[in-house]
Each structure stands twice: as structure tokens, then as C-alpha cells.
Amino acid sequence: MAIRTILHYPDPRLRVQARAVECVDDRIRKLVDDMAETMYAAPGVGLAATQIGEDVRLFIVDLADEDEPSALRAFINPEIVARDGEQTFREGCLSFPGVTEDVRRAAEVTVRALDRDGEPFELRADGLLAVAIQHELDHLDGKLMIDHLGVIKRRIVHRKMMKRDDGPRPPAG
Ligand code: NI
């Protein structure tokens, strides 16, 4: 496994529309494992392949608390087939370090996807899991949390991210 670099806004690769996974093979399983290691190291509760510059429809989520066993789920070629209600949650994103903003999304979603073994599953989620699924699925369509904000908040977050010193770092070691 390997920890990968997480892209930060406004990296243009975060705007790429990811392509469907044609075959859940060892390459995809290795990508899931790398993404899990990267997410846990961050630490974060969700990560989309787009965020590490991989152009495939795949994201992972693990909402378990630190003292609980891992609840890692991989969603490959995910599709939301039903949405219901509304909720507002203060979201963060590993591509927007230090930023949290209220985002309004569906309260419940039903998602269909393939798991790490390529097996299809359907999941009905509410609460934080529903938020995470919608947030990560957005990434695969090149959509970011900033796109859900009003024009003024969007400008504030944009400026904050532009001020970060995110330039290339010298190679270590
Ligand atoms: Ni995110």
C-alpha cells in the first residue's frame, strides 16, 4: 500500500469527470487499498479517486470512530437511484484543508455500486453516511463542496485556498 498525494483546490484535476471502471481487477483493488491508507493517514472519513488524480469512478467511506473497528466501504461505479428529504451538515473536504461549510443535501439516498470484489450492492443511507455518499459522488463528477455555496461564501473560501502555500515542495530525503 502507498500513501498518495491528495490534490487541493483549485487543482484542475479535481474538475475531471471520472470514467466508469470497466473491470474490478487487482489494479482497482490496489487503488482501493492505497486510497484507504491515504484517507486514514489524512485523517478523513471519505476519499474519491479524483482527489488523488485517478480518473475512475470509485470512492471510499469509513465513518467508524477511532475506537471502533474499521467500517471501510468501497463504492465502484456508484449511482444514486433515490433521494428523499433535506438535511444541512457542516462539511469538510480533504481537498479544502481547514475549510468547513454548511451544505444542504438530501436526507436519505439509495445508492447502487460495486464493492471491492466487483459484487453489486444497494444501500439505503441517511444521516452522515448519506452526506458522505453525496459528497464523494460529487467528486467523481468534478463537483466540489464550494459549488454548493452562495456566491459570497464561495468567494471567501476561494480566497482562503488561494492564500495557502501549496507550491511544489522539494523532494524529501
Ligand atoms: Ni471532499
Side-chain angles (χ1 to χ4, degrees), residues 84-89 91 103-107 130-131 134-136 138 144-145 148:
D84 199 21
E86 230 176 51
Q87 66 175 326
T88 300
F89 189 86
E91 296 184 17
V103 178
R104 191 163 58 189
R105 299 187 188 272
V131 170
Q134 292 170 85
H135 178 116
E136 301 308 332
D138 268 1
L144 301 169
M145 62 183 268
H148 290 273

Side-chain angles (χ1 to χ4, degrees), residues 14-30:
L14 290 169
R15 293 304 192 179
V16 167
Q17 170 88 24
R19 290 172 304 163
V21 172
E22 281 173 24
C23 175
V24 181
D25 53 14
D26 286 347
R27 192 185 76 86
I28 291 296
R29 277 185 280 275
K30 178 175 187 316

Side-chain angles (χ1 to χ4, degrees), residues 65-130:
D65 283 331
E66 267 175 49
D67 54 349
E68 292 174 345
S70 154
L72 184 70
R73 286 176 188 277
F75 297 77
I76 299 167
N77 296 343
E79 205 183 333
I80 291 177
V81 294
R83 300 167 192 268
D84 199 21
E86 230 176 51
Q87 66 175 326
T88 300
F89 189 86
R90 195 151 188 97
E91 296 184 17
C93 178
L94 293 175
S95 295
F96 289 82
V99 173
T100 59
E101 289 292 341
D102 282 342
V103 178
R104 191 163 58 189
R105 299 187 188 272
E108 277 188 28
V109 294
T110 303
V111 60
R112 282 187 198 144
L114 303 176
D115 67 14
R116 191 179 175 280
D117 298 316
E119 293 297 321
F121 68 94
E122 185 175 296
L123 175 72
R124 189 173 169 83
D126 60 10
L128 182 54
L129 183 56

